[in-house]
Amino acid sequence: MHEIQVHNTLSGKIEPFVPLEAGVVHMYTCGPTVYDFAHIGNFRTFVFQDILRRFLKLRGFKLIHVMNLTDVDDRIIANAAAAGLGIREYTEKYVQAFFADCRTMSVESPEHWIRATENIQSMVELIQKLQKKTYTYDSEGSIYYRITKFKDYGKLSKIDLSGIQAGARVDNDRYEKESARDFALWKAPKPGEHFWETTIGPGRPGWHIECSAMAMKFLGETIDIHTGGIDLAFPHHENEIAQSEAATGKPFVRYWMHAEHLLVEGEKMSKSLGNFFTLRDLFGKGYKPSALRFALASVPYRRQLNFTFDGLQQATSSVERLRNFAARLKNEKFPAGKQAAMAERIAKAASDFDAGLSDDLNTAQALAAMFDFVREANIAMDKGEFRQGEVKTAQEFLATFEKVFAVLEDNDAEKLEALGYGGNEGSPADAEIEKLVAERQAARKRKDFAESDRIREVLSERGIILEDTKDGSVRWKRK
Ligand SMILES: [Zn+2]
């Protein structure tokens, strides 16, 4: 086994990973803000942190991992008020959808799921600590953090603080990189908004104090790993450090690990560009959860991931290749005996796999170790050189792989059915077919024949036959 090394955003370096308490990893992940369905960019980060926790467990660590659900922030308050619903009522649908998405994507549950709204008192106490140490000031019923008082402000994101204006404040939970400003720890209630009556006054917590308070409550004052998307490094994580370290005088996080952005077909994902996809959009188009998980996991987390439909198609084939190989091991009868060279080959693959993941979670290298082995083993099987004596070790290696990547088990159909897609309950609805037909027409128009063929295939699998007419229109019927 290889020494585990990870990139720490705080130091900007690759460092050996050694937890504070031997054998135990205390880890925190910023979870979703539950005001909408999760999109593939969100799940790039959630799949990354899942691979990380699975690998650490594989290497024998006990995990104490917390993921929070931000169920109160600016957008939730505004959306809930607009919908005429309470916060809990409004967010519950998205909380349940997120849990279902995690199950579908084989993202393991952390040891603790925590809701911000159930930990308001811890946030209030942390703010009181900061008040006592004079890191705060009040203004119009809100409480702000004075960032000039925290001399290490900016150490995570390396933000340039030369233009910083003392006393310049920001009330939004999310703000731009250029504006390092005093941020709200506690916000005074606005008319019609949800608020809590507390010892520091009526109001609601800012987004940043939520994570500091919940991380320290469940994991202690110094935690091993904090993960999130790179877009959270500033201001969110910078502010978490400022709050936590000012309150305790201790280092808050030992390893900060951030996943890079995801692009879609080379562009930033945005609703206005029409390239914005929730997981459910893709499942509705007939893509499998295993393929999506594979596609998101296959690019090392610190590299930008360019999500493409070609790539997703390749991921589908890659998963298929692995499942076929697993089936071959299980079902075929090989000549009896052992072959030393193959036994060595399997040991090398397992070692390369571990080396890849140990090297700052280099998933591409770990996958290459698996696929190189599969290719060679398939050739050996075709030539009749693979022996029965190697089946068990090869299966053990696949099982190790599965503990981290979790794509071998062929349960996509059940998962999709559980989410309300596909299944055997009958043919897809007309509206869904029309939507796919229109997408195929659009693909043909832009001469993306791979995509148009793929959609034809998806429809065919679901019992729909397409007939292209001379005038370029298309008819469809059920088989
Ligand atoms: Zn957070």
Side-chain angles (χ1 to χ4, degrees), residues 38-46 260 262 269 277 279 296:
H39 56 69
I40 54 175
N42 302 137
F43 262 82
R44 197 238 164 144
T45 305
F46 296 132
E260 260 301 330
L262 170 141
M269 186 165 77
F277 299 107
L279 302 188
L296 294 178

Side-chain angles (χ1 to χ4, degrees), residues 311-463:
L312 191 50
Q313 203 55 50
Q314 282 167 26
T316 308
S317 319
S318 298
V319 170
E320 213 51 42
R321 204 174 319 146
L322 292 176
R323 288 180 181 175
N324 289 342
F325 180 69
R328 217 174 164 183
L329 277 174
K330 188 172 167 217
N331 301 327
E332 277 186 34
K333 266 270 161 254
F334 304 102
K338 286 183 163 260
Q339 197 214 17
M342 184 51 71
E344 267 171 44
R345 184 64 192 84
I346 297 169
K348 180 182 184 307
S351 171
D352 290 351
F353 178 77
D354 183 71
L357 292 175
S358 300
D359 178 12
D360 193 25
L361 226 58
N362 188 335
T363 47
Q365 196 185 323
L367 287 170
M370 172 53 86
F371 280 97
D372 288 350
F373 162 66
V374 168
R375 192 183 58 248
E376 289 171 37
N378 270 325
I379 292 171
M381 287 173 180
D382 294 343
K383 287 185 180 165
E385 290 169 0
F386 195 91
R387 300 298 172 87
Q388 199 63 33
E390 264 71 64
V391 168
K392 192 161 163 280
T393 355
Q395 284 177 329
E396 280 165 4
F397 175 41
L398 286 184
T400 300
F401 170 89
E402 180 71 350
K403 277 186 188 156
V404 178
F405 281 91
V407 293
L408 289 177
E409 195 187 341
D410 192 355
N411 54 7
D412 291 298
E414 292 102 289
K415 284 172 159 179
L416 289 177
E417 209 172 330
L419 276 193
Y421 296 100
N424 305 316
E425 74 280 7
S427 189
D430 287 4
E432 198 187 335
I433 298 167
E434 297 288 1
K435 184 168 172 258
L436 284 166
V437 168
E439 281 176 13
R440 178 170 169 271
Q441 287 290 79
R444 290 174 76 197
K445 226 176 231 164
R446 58 172 197 269
K447 303 208 183 315
D448 182 354
F449 297 112
E451 176 66 2
S452 94
D453 287 350
R454 191 194 65 78
I455 296 173
R456 174 190 278 276
E457 190 60 26
V458 166
L459 285 166
S460 167
E461 277 171 16
R462 302 181 66 182

Side-chain angles (χ1 to χ4, degrees), residues 84-300:
L85 296 172
I87 287 186
R88 188 74 183 219
E89 227 181 325
Y90 175 77
T91 55
E92 190 57 25
K93 171 180 163 193
Y94 298 112
V95 169
Q96 294 311 324
F98 182 70
F99 288 159
D101 284 349
C102 284
R103 281 194 299 276
T104 308
M105 292 294 284
S106 298
V107 168
E108 283 188 341
S109 274
E111 282 62 35
H112 304 280
W113 284 113
I114 308 176
R115 288 179 199 239
T117 53
E118 290 174 358
N119 291 280
I120 301 292
Q121 185 52 31
S122 306
M123 297 166 204
V124 167
E125 285 163 19
L126 182 54
I127 293 170
Q128 283 173 319
K129 255 190 201 170
L130 291 170
Q131 283 179 320
K132 273 195 200 109
K133 295 192 170 188
T134 67
Y135 280 92
T136 71
Y137 59 93
D138 297 359
S139 177
E140 293 167 12
S142 294
I143 304 171
Y144 294 88
Y145 187 99
R146 193 188 305 278
I147 61 172
T148 47
K149 178 147 170 93
F150 184 67
K151 64 176 178 15
D152 282 343
Y153 195 85
K155 69 177 173 181
L156 178 72
S157 56
K158 325 290 187 265
I159 186 171
D160 176 15
L161 295 173
S162 53
I164 184 176
Q165 286 175 285
R169 292 193 300 272
V170 58
D171 282 296
N172 296 340
D173 284 330
R174 285 154 215 264
Y175 50 95
E176 294 307 314
K177 271 204 184 325
E178 298 73 44
S179 50
R181 296 190 195 171
D182 294 347
F183 55 92
L185 296 164
W186 188 255
K187 303 187 189 195
K190 293 196 190 116
E193 274 187 3
H194 189 92
F195 68 94
W196 283 264
E197 201 58 74
T198 73
T199 46
I200 53 172
R204 61 177 172 100
W207 173 38
H208 315 298
I209 199 76
E210 294 178 13
C211 283
S212 278
M214 293 188 285
M216 293 198 290
K217 177 178 178 184
F218 288 86
L219 297 169
E221 292 179 340
T222 298
I223 68 179
D224 293 307
I225 303 177
H226 194 314
T227 69
I230 189 68
D231 53 319
L232 295 188
F234 185 87
H236 186 51
H237 292 161
E238 198 70 73
N239 292 349
E240 280 187 44
I241 292 174
Q243 296 164 152
S244 303
E245 299 192 355
T248 67
K250 295 177 189 160
F252 173 44
V253 172
R254 302 176 60 242
Y255 302 89
W256 284 95
M257 295 178 71
H258 290 107
E260 260 301 330
H261 289 290
L262 170 141
L263 300 176
V264 174
E265 307 282 356
E267 290 191 275
K268 197 167 173 230
M269 186 165 77
S270 81
K271 283 186 176 158
S272 58
L273 284 175
N275 65 355
F276 183 96
F277 299 107
T278 65
L279 302 188
R280 287 152 195 250
D281 291 334
L282 298 177
F283 300 149
K285 288 172 189 285
Y287 291 104
K288 292 177 178 175
S290 58
L292 184 54
R293 181 176 165 94
F294 186 98
L296 294 178
S298 59
V299 176

